[in-house]
Amino acid sequence: MGRVKTVDLWFDPVCPWAWIASRWLLEVEGVRDVRTRFHVFSLSLHNEGREVDDWYRGWLDERWGPARVALAAERAHGNEVLRDFYTALGTRLHRDKAPVDRETIVAALGEAGLPASLADAAGSADLDDDLRAGNRAALDPIGEDLGVPAIHVDGTAFFGPVVSPVPRGEAAGRLWDGVLLVTGTEGFAELKRGRGRPVTT
């Protein structure tokens, strides 16, 4: 094996695209020498004060809690707990379509071996300045008009990829190789096409 490459991924637990990207990166870990390090992002905070559609504003207003709890867990127990907590919470939210509520968060905390009391952070703004700093760390290299998934690797940062369903096995590795190729190209900014299929997480 070669040198293990650290890949930094910023996620909001409620974002389906970040969830798919995270599962893709975990697949990549099985076929390439990479290790993903997870970081918390808040879409609710990111879109505060921005003009967005009413339905999206309502959606965001109901979803402050998961990012706050994830950051509280990291602050109390270290960065490595995010891997298991995000998996436990994301599986409930994106695969099982569980509601974004305290019961779902507490169940995910328990599965990750974390205390249920961390769920209290969902309704608190105490860590919002830290969330804001995390958002800046994610987006400063790629542009404030973007969001998550935000990925940083080897001095290169980008939004995406936006893909559905999750690539598995060697297909995940080939996508990784391609993403590194295009994002490592000097001056490369965008490659995009319409989203013609439903999100499959």
Side-chain angles (χ1 to χ4, degrees), residues 65-149:
R68 285 170 165 170
V69 173
L71 187 58
E74 180 184 21
R75 289 290 183 268
H77 299 279
N79 176 262
E80 277 297 313
V81 304
L82 288 179
R83 176 177 286 252
D84 289 341
F85 176 60
Y86 183 28
T87 293
L89 183 57
T91 298
R92 286 168 170 79
L93 296 179
H94 301 291
R95 188 194 69 186
D96 302 340
K97 309 303 182 187
V100 183
D101 61 14
R102 184 181 178 88
E103 182 179 355
T104 299
I105 291 171
V106 167
L109 288 167
E111 182 179 329
L114 296 167
S117 59
L118 286 169
D120 294 343
S124 170
D126 287 352
L127 291 177
D128 284 1
D129 283 346
D130 290 342
L131 280 175
R132 190 171 286 107
N135 283 12
R136 284 196 303 271
L139 298 185
D140 278 355
I142 61 176
E144 277 297 318
D145 57 330
L146 299 171
V148 289

Side-chain angles (χ1 to χ4, degrees), residues 1 13 16 35 42 44 52 54 66 68-69 75 92 94 120-121 139 141 144 146 150 172 181 183 185-186:
M1 291 182 66
R35 172 75 175 177
S42 172
S44 297
V52 298
D54 289 344
R68 285 170 165 170
V69 173
R75 289 290 183 268
R92 286 168 170 79
H94 301 291
D120 294 343
L139 298 185
E144 277 297 318
L146 299 171
L181 178 63
T183 59
T185 300
E186 183 69 27

Side-chain angles (χ1 to χ4, degrees), residues 12-86:
D12 186 315
V14 302
C15 176
W17 299 114
W19 172 250
I20 292 173
S22 74
R23 300 310 95 179
W24 163 62
L25 286 174
L26 294 181
E27 288 285 322
V28 174
E29 288 184 357
V31 294
R32 299 292 187 271
D33 292 335
V34 303
R35 172 75 175 177
T36 307
R37 184 165 52 197
F38 294 89
H39 306 275
V40 184
F41 188 95
S42 172
L43 284 170
S44 297
L45 186 60
H46 176 59
N47 286 283
E48 197 174 37
R50 294 172 180 256
E51 287 191 21
V52 298
D53 291 339
D54 289 344
W55 72 266
Y56 189 50
R57 174 63 60 204
W59 187 87
L60 290 169
D61 286 348
E62 296 174 356
R63 286 164 172 77
W64 282 86
R68 285 170 165 170
V69 173
L71 187 58
E74 180 184 21
R75 289 290 183 268
H77 299 279
N79 176 262
E80 277 297 313
V81 304
L82 288 179
R83 176 177 286 252
D84 289 341
F85 176 60
Y86 183 28

Side-chain angles (χ1 to χ4, degrees), residues 23-24 27 31 165-174 201:
R23 300 310 95 179
W24 163 62
E27 288 285 322
V31 294
V166 179
R168 302 290 182 184
E170 185 55 28
R174 289 196 301 271
T201 59

